[in-house]
């Protein structure tokens, strides 16, 4: 794990901070794709006011800061301590927003039934074995919770266990939209959509965007049990 953290620290050191304004003049915005001023906005996850949002692998916190300005109660975690410092320096003044240094699996395992929305934008969903990771995400969500993530689509010439160019200690789990839908269904997510967003003009690589929900009827089942027992 130390090698992985060190790799993400190297990645963090090489990043250019996000602009202070986007093309529309906004100071905060949510960007699902690898391109500036491109792709859908926060409407992918629905209204966030008053909802508890966790972003795993939040980097310097720019996407999460936008959701905090919309009234969400936000927690951002990142394995790289320097990312937390950057996030707190830039966004620490916003209410309803906190950042922690944590590994995503450890954090999710320690926070069952805690969030209405979990996000990963080019984050740990891409870098963690989904067969163990998706059940942890699902368990951290409340009933009817939303899980959404984005990253690059698989290369046509991908090889299993391919290493990231940016962080050679890090493995990557590349799956097609169809494969992600199947993995999520296997982890008991519902209302699953998995698509590739077209790239902007002049670029050739799209962005995989996946959204799923947890089942809404955990409480209804409990009520039904009581009713059927005659009480
Ligand atoms: C490609 S960056 C994306 C950052 C940010 N979401 C964005 O869109 O700018 C991936 C981030 O995930 C973090 N990360 C990777 N694996 C992680 C893990 N297992 N637990 C927590 N954070 C992780 C890295 O430190 C890095 O900041």
């Amino acid at each position: 794990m130390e090698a992985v953290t060190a790799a993400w620290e190297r990645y963090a050191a090489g990043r250019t901070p996000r602009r202070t304004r986007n093309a529309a003049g906004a100071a905060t915005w949510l960007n699902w794709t690898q391109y500036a001023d491109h792709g859908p906005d926060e409407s992918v996850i629905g209204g966030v006011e008053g909802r508890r949002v966790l972003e795993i692998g939040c980097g310097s916190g720019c996407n999460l800061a936008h959701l905090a300005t919309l009234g969400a109660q936000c927690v951002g975690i990142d394995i790289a301590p320097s990312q937390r410092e950057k996030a707190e320096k830039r966004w620490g003044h916003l209410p309803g927003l906190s950042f922690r240094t944590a590994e995503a699996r450890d954090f999710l395992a320690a926070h069952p039934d805690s969030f209405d929305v979990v996000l990963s934008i080019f984050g740990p969903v891409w870098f963690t074995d989904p067969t163990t990771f998706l059940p942890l995400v699902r368990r951290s969500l409340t009933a009817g919770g939303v899980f959404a993530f984005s990253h690059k689509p698989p290369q046509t010439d991908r090889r299993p266990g391919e290493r990231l160019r940016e962080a050679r200690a890090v493995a990557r789990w590349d799956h097609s939209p169809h494969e992600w839908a199947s993995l999520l269904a296997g982890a008991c997510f519902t209302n699953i959509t998995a698509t590739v967003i077209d790239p902007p003009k002049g670029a050739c690589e799209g962005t995989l965007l996946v959204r799923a929900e947890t089942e809404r009827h955990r409480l209804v089942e409990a009520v039904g049990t009581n009713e059927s027992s005659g009480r």
Side-chain angles (χ1 to χ4, degrees):
M1 193 49 67
E2 276 166 30
V4 172
T5 304
W8 284 114
E9 279 294 8
R10 285 195 298 279
Y11 171 85
R15 297 298 292 169
T16 307
R18 185 186 272 192
R19 299 163 292 162
T20 53
R21 300 267 165 194
N22 67 6
T28 64
W29 63 94
L30 195 150
N31 189 352
W32 297 99
T33 80
Q34 63 272 53
Y35 305 107
D37 306 305
H38 173 69
D41 61 14
E42 65 278 1
S43 57
V44 168
I45 50 178
V48 293
E49 187 173 1
R51 296 174 89 194
R52 291 163 297 171
V53 178
L54 171 69
E55 185 181 354
I56 49 179
C58 65
S60 57
C62 297
N63 289 313
L64 205 55
H66 180 60
L67 301 182
T69 67
L70 300 177
Q73 295 296 313
C74 300
V75 178
I77 66 153
D78 201 286
I79 199 169
S82 70
Q83 294 283 27
R84 176 186 179 173
E85 286 165 27
K86 287 185 208 171
E88 287 179 341
K89 192 168 175 193
R90 183 160 179 178
W91 304 113
H93 62 285
L94 291 178
L97 177 59
S98 64
F99 298 102
R100 301 204 202 158
T101 301
E103 198 284 319
R105 279 164 299 198
D106 296 344
F107 186 88
L108 291 166
H111 292 83
D113 208 23
S114 299
F115 299 101
D116 304 307
V117 179
V118 173
L119 303 177
S120 170
I121 299 174
F122 286 67
V125 171
W126 204 13
F127 311 121
T128 314
D129 183 347
T131 56
T132 51
F133 199 65
L134 297 182
L136 286 173
V137 174
R138 181 175 170 273
R139 196 167 152 264
S140 77
L141 281 161
T142 53
V146 174
F147 175 38
F149 61 91
S150 64
H151 54 69
K152 291 183 188 177
Q155 311 287 308
T156 45
D157 60 349
R158 71 180 157 134
R159 293 183 297 272
E162 182 187 359
R163 299 272 144 180
L164 264 185
R165 229 178 317 151
E166 300 93 325
R168 294 187 186 281
V170 178
R172 187 169 81 185
W173 274 261
D174 277 318
H175 289 294
S176 68
H178 179 74
E179 288 166 342
W180 272 121
S182 169
L183 286 162
L184 286 157
C188 298
F189 283 90
T190 63
N191 295 332
I192 301 160
T193 56
T195 52
V196 175
I197 302 166
D198 286 337
K201 205 172 167 201
C204 55
E205 191 172 42
T207 309
L208 183 83
L209 177 64
V210 181
R211 184 190 187 284
E213 296 177 9
T214 55
E215 72 281 13
R216 291 180 176 273
H217 50 77
R218 280 183 226 169
L219 184 61
V220 175
E221 276 173 359
V223 171
T225 305
N226 285 345
E227 281 173 356
S228 62
S229 70
R231 293 198 293 143

